[in-house]
Amino acid sequence: MPDSHSGESLLFLTDEQLRQGIEAVFFAYQGFTADPDRILATMAYGRAHHRAIHFINRAPGTTVTNLLAILGVTKQSLNRVLRTLIEDGLVESRVGASDRRERNLYLTEAGLALENRLSDAQRTRMRAAYRDAGPEAVAGFRRVLEAMMDPEMRRRYASLRESSQ
Amino acid sequence: MPDSHSGESLLFLTDEQLRQGIEAVFFAYQGFTADPDRILATMAYGRAHHRAIHFINRAPGTTVTNLLAILGVTKQSLNRVLRTLIEDGLVESRVGASDRRERNLYLTEAGLALENRLSDAQRTRMRAAYRDAGPEAVAGFRRVLEAMMDPEMRRRYASLRESSQ
DNA sequence: TTGGAGTGTCAACAAAGCTGACGTATTGTG
DNA sequence: CACAATACGTCAGCTTTGTTGACACTCCAA
C-alpha cells in the first residue's frame, strides 16, 4: 500500500498534470469572480470593495490593521476603498472601546444588503459546482486549496473558520 | 444509501460551508500567484505577461484572436503586453501561412527560458500542495474547479487538454 | 469589387495596486 | 511626565492592467 501509493503519486505529479491544474485554477477563478463582478460593474465599485465588504461581514468589528493583513494590500489602497464605502453609508467605523486608536468596522443595513447580493451570486455558482462534483470531490477541493496557501494565510483562514463556529 | 447521500449533501451545502469555500479560493489564489509575481517583479513584467507567455507556450502558433478569447481581455490590453514581449525578443509573431491576416505567436529561446522559470515556481507550489493533499483530493479538486468554470471556458480548457495528448 | 473579419494602434480614462512622507490621536514605557 | 511606538488617515505621484471609441490596413470570400 505505501509502495503503490507512492507510485501512484509519482505518476500523478507529471508536469503535464500540474500544468492542467494551473490552467484549471486560472479558468475557475474567472468564473469565481464573474458573477459578483457583473453586479459591482453596475455601481461604482470593484473587486476591492467586494473583498472589504466580505471580510467585514465575516468578522464584524474587525480593525483596519487586521483587514490589511487579510487582504494583503497597503493601508493607502484599502483606505481609498474604505473611504468610499463609509461615505456611501455601507460601512460604519467606530472608535475602539478598549483602544481608542483602533477603528472597529461594521456593515450598515445597506452594507449587509449588498453583501448578501454579492455572496448570493457567488454562492449560487459554488453550490452548483459542489453539487456537480459531489461531496468527496468537495472535501478534496478544500484540502488542496488549503495546501496551496501561504502558511500565514492558512492561519488566518483557520482562525476565520473557528470564529464562526 | 441514496437517502443518506442526499442528506449528506444537504448538510454539506450550508451557506457557512460555501462561505468557507469562497474564502479558501481567495486565499489559495494569493498563494497561486505569489511565486511567479515575485519573479516578474524583478523585471518590467506583470501577471498579464505571464498569462500571455503561458498560453503561447501551451499552444504554439496560436492566433491573437484565440489568445484574446482565452484570456478574456480586450485586444488593446493584450496588444500592449504582446508588443513589449515582441520588442524584448521573448515572443515571435509570424504572418499566418494560410490566412495572412492572422499572426501566429511563438516563444523564442528567451521566452521559453522565462516561461520555464515562471512555471517551475508555480509547479513547485502545486506539486507540494498535491502531495500534501493526496491523489484522491487532487481528483476532487480538479472536478470542482471544472464545475466552477463558465461553460465557454470549460470548452477552452478541455480543448487545451486534448491538444497536449 | 466590395463587405467583413483579423489585426494594430492612437487617445483617453478608470480601478487598484504601490512607495514615500507626514500628521494626529492614543497608548505604553522608561 | 516625557517620549517612543502604534493605529489610522491622507496627500502626492507612479505603475499595471483593464476599459471605450475611433480609425486604418490587409486580406478573404461572395
Side-chain angles (χ1 to χ4, degrees):
Chain A
M1 181 68 180
D3 265 356
S4 85
H5 185 276
S6 93
E8 192 180 17
S9 291
L10 281 175
L11 189 68
F12 206 83
L13 294 173
T14 61
D15 279 7
E16 179 52 29
Q17 287 283 342
L18 292 166
R19 245 177 229 285
Q20 288 181 14
I22 288 169
E23 280 161 10
V25 170
F26 172 71
F27 288 124
Y29 199 78
Q30 285 192 356
F32 177 72
T33 56
D35 304 321
D37 279 358
R38 261 187 291 273
I39 296 172
L40 292 158
T42 69
M43 312 179 223
Y45 296 136
R47 248 178 239 182
H49 300 85
H50 182 193
R51 290 197 282 259
I53 287 174
H54 175 98
F55 285 107
I56 293 172
N57 174 250
R58 188 65 153 149
T62 187
T63 63
V64 173
T65 304
N66 184 43
L67 205 50
L68 283 177
I70 285 178
L71 298 176
V73 298
T74 59
K75 184 177 51 163
Q76 293 89 329
S77 195
L78 174 60
N79 197 255
R80 178 171 36 200
V81 166
L82 227 40
R83 200 186 331 173
T84 69
L85 290 174
I86 291 170
E87 280 170 5
D88 296 353
L90 301 184
V91 167
E92 195 189 347
S93 167
R94 297 185 206 151
V95 171
S98 56
D99 186 337
R100 294 167 49 82
R101 288 170 305 182
E102 295 181 344
R103 298 292 180 272
N104 297 117
L105 302 170
Y106 300 89
L107 292 186
T108 64
E109 289 287 310
L112 280 168
L114 178 56
E115 201 285 331
N116 273 324
R117 262 188 83 195
L118 294 171
S119 60
D120 260 12
Q122 204 159 33
R123 276 199 303 265
T124 296
R125 184 184 289 255
M126 293 293 284
R127 203 188 326 268
Y130 276 18
R131 223 183 316 249
D132 286 0
E136 298 84 2
V138 172
F141 173 68
R142 294 283 297 275
R143 214 168 299 137
V144 175
L145 286 182
E146 212 163 326
M148 284 172 63
M149 297 176 196
D150 273 336
E152 200 184 309
M153 286 303 153
R154 186 152 48 238
R155 263 184 285 122
R156 294 187 192 286
Y157 171 69
S159 74
L160 274 176
R161 292 187 56 182
E162 287 161 24
S163 70
S164 51
Q165 315 149 32
Chain B
M1 181 67 181
D3 266 356
S4 85
H5 186 277
S6 91
E8 189 180 20
S9 290
L10 281 174
L11 189 69
F12 207 83
L13 295 172
T14 62
D15 278 8
E16 178 52 30
Q17 287 283 342
L18 292 166
R19 247 177 228 284
Q20 288 182 14
I22 287 168
E23 280 160 10
V25 170
F26 171 71
F27 288 125
Y29 199 78
Q30 286 192 356
F32 177 71
T33 56
D35 304 321
D37 279 359
R38 261 188 291 274
I39 296 172
L40 292 158
T42 68
M43 313 177 221
Y45 296 136
R47 251 179 236 181
H49 300 84
H50 182 191
R51 290 198 282 257
I53 288 174
H54 176 97
F55 285 108
I56 293 173
N57 174 249
R58 188 64 153 149
T62 188
T63 64
V64 173
T65 302
N66 184 43
L67 206 50
L68 283 177
I70 285 178
L71 298 175
V73 298
T74 58
K75 184 176 54 165
Q76 294 88 332
S77 195
L78 174 60
N79 197 256
R80 178 171 35 202
V81 165
L82 228 39
R83 200 185 332 169
T84 69
L85 291 175
I86 292 170
E87 279 169 7
D88 296 353
L90 300 185
V91 168
E92 195 190 347
S93 166
R94 297 186 206 151
V95 172
S98 56
D99 185 337
R100 294 165 50 80
R101 287 170 304 179
E102 295 181 345
R103 298 293 180 274
N104 297 116
L105 303 169
Y106 300 88
L107 292 186
T108 64
E109 289 286 311
L112 280 169
L114 178 56
E115 201 284 330
N116 274 324
R117 263 188 82 195
L118 293 171
S119 60
D120 260 11
Q122 205 158 33
R123 277 200 302 266
T124 296
R125 183 184 289 255
M126 293 293 284
R127 204 188 324 267
Y130 277 18
R131 222 182 318 246
D132 286 0
E136 297 85 3
V138 172
F141 173 68
R142 295 283 297 274
R143 214 169 298 139
V144 175
L145 286 183
E146 211 163 328
M148 283 172 63
M149 297 176 196
D150 273 337
E152 201 185 309
M153 286 303 153
R154 186 153 47 240
R155 262 184 285 123
R156 295 187 191 285
Y157 171 69
S159 73
L160 274 176
R161 292 187 55 182
E162 288 160 23
S163 71
S164 52
Q165 315 149 31

